[in-house]
Amino acid sequence: MRIVFMGTPDFAATILEALLTFEGGEVVGVYTQPDRPAGRGKKVRFSAVKNLAMARRLPVYQPVNFKKPIAITELSTLRPDVCVVAAYGLILPQSVLDVPRYGCLNAHASLLPKYRGAAPIQRAIIDGEPVTGMTIMQMNAGMDTGDILLQRALGIGIDDTAATIHDELAKMGGQLMLETLSKLESGGLTAIPQEESKATYAAKLTKADGEIDWHQPALDVHNRIRGVHPWPGAFFMWGGLDPENPLRLTVQPGKVGPLNEDHVEPGTIVGMVDGNLAVACADRLYLTPNLCPEGRCLMDARAFCNGYLNRCPAPNP
């Protein structure tokens, strides 16, 4: 089986790594987004998929899009039996979907039809979902609307973050894609249409999604902090030192603490509890082990307490 892979970030690279172990086929080409400047220095960086493809000496293709006929011709010359797609970042028109004999298969990080779109992992955690998973679907011209070929569920633990679930689902996606390809030629797959009535959408994250609303219950705060870790990161504006010039504080994932029995105003830093910095929420305290003042390095709760609060209640024994 001749396989063309299409993907860009680390998530996709993990799936490509699995594909390279597939004994029933060969990866004959790799598509990834064009190189772009990144970071403060705006230096051009290769995608994780391109770095892996180059290390394995695989042909790399980086069209800006597939609007020009030459891009379709280039893909056709590879004579793919199937295209495997994972977090590619480009829309594939019908002219691309029609090139491979078996069409294009997409590895999507949710249990479709829930959480279609760009940020399924993060949105599921923010929403407090107890379960997510991987779906291998037959792509069509819609946004994650194709028929489901295989699915597998993954539980979301109370301490899981977008980072931990990302890594687990990437590994799961690679294995599930191998299973799908193994069954593809034998006819062992049953395509199941998605139930449109159950579809939800996972919009792409922005930096604003990281802002904490301390007036919410502590569990909702916990879910948001976990869902935006490591990017864009959870933050709030703290006016404890200067109300007119509040300090931006980035908060690391922690845990739900005791009841806010004194009805402290949400967003107030209460002090130290169990070795963590406690912030008041609508119902309980939220306990974070580390945080980062804007322009400073990450510091633990005690260091922040000593440096910014001047005095701090002693940690619980």
Side-chain angles (χ1 to χ4, degrees), residues 50-73:
K50 182 174 181 178
N51 283 328
L52 176 58
M54 292 175 64
R56 298 300 184 90
R57 298 184 178 181
L58 297 171
V60 176
Y61 304 86
Q62 297 180 273
V64 174
N65 53 50
F66 290 93
K67 294 180 180 180
K68 295 181 179 180
I70 189 172
I72 308 301
T73 301

Side-chain angles (χ1 to χ4, degrees), residues 118-133:
I121 296 173
Q122 296 90 337
R123 297 295 179 186
I125 296 173
I126 290 171
D127 290 348
E129 295 280 357
V131 177
T132 184

Side-chain angles (χ1 to χ4, degrees), residues 133-179:
M134 280 298 306
T135 299
I136 307 299
M137 70 170 182
Q138 185 81 52
M139 294 182 70
N140 59 21
M143 173 64 75
D144 300 328
T145 57
D147 291 351
I148 296 168
L149 300 178
L150 284 181
Q151 278 188 329
R152 185 164 297 159
L154 175 70
I156 300 176
I158 192 63
D159 295 322
D160 275 319
T161 66
T164 61
I165 294 298
H166 168 282
D167 292 349
E168 290 189 61
L169 286 182
K171 293 177 182 178
M172 180 184 288
Q175 293 305 309
L176 205 59
M177 186 59 77
L178 293 183
E179 290 181 34

Side-chain angles (χ1 to χ4, degrees), residues 166-224:
H166 168 282
D167 292 349
E168 290 189 61
L169 286 182
K171 293 177 182 178
M172 180 184 288
Q175 293 305 309
L176 205 59
M177 186 59 77
L178 293 183
E179 290 181 34
T180 304
L181 293 176
S182 296
K183 296 177 180 179
L184 194 59
E185 285 190 306
S186 65
L189 294 170
T190 300
I192 302 173
Q194 295 186 38
E195 295 184 51
E196 287 298 321
S197 62
K198 296 183 178 180
T200 60
Y201 181 67
K204 183 178 180 179
L205 289 181
T206 67
K207 291 182 179 180
D209 286 306
E211 187 165 12
I212 302 168
D213 180 1
W214 297 108
H215 289 85
Q216 291 186 324
L219 182 57
D220 291 346
V221 169
H222 183 53
N223 292 339
R224 178 162 296 276

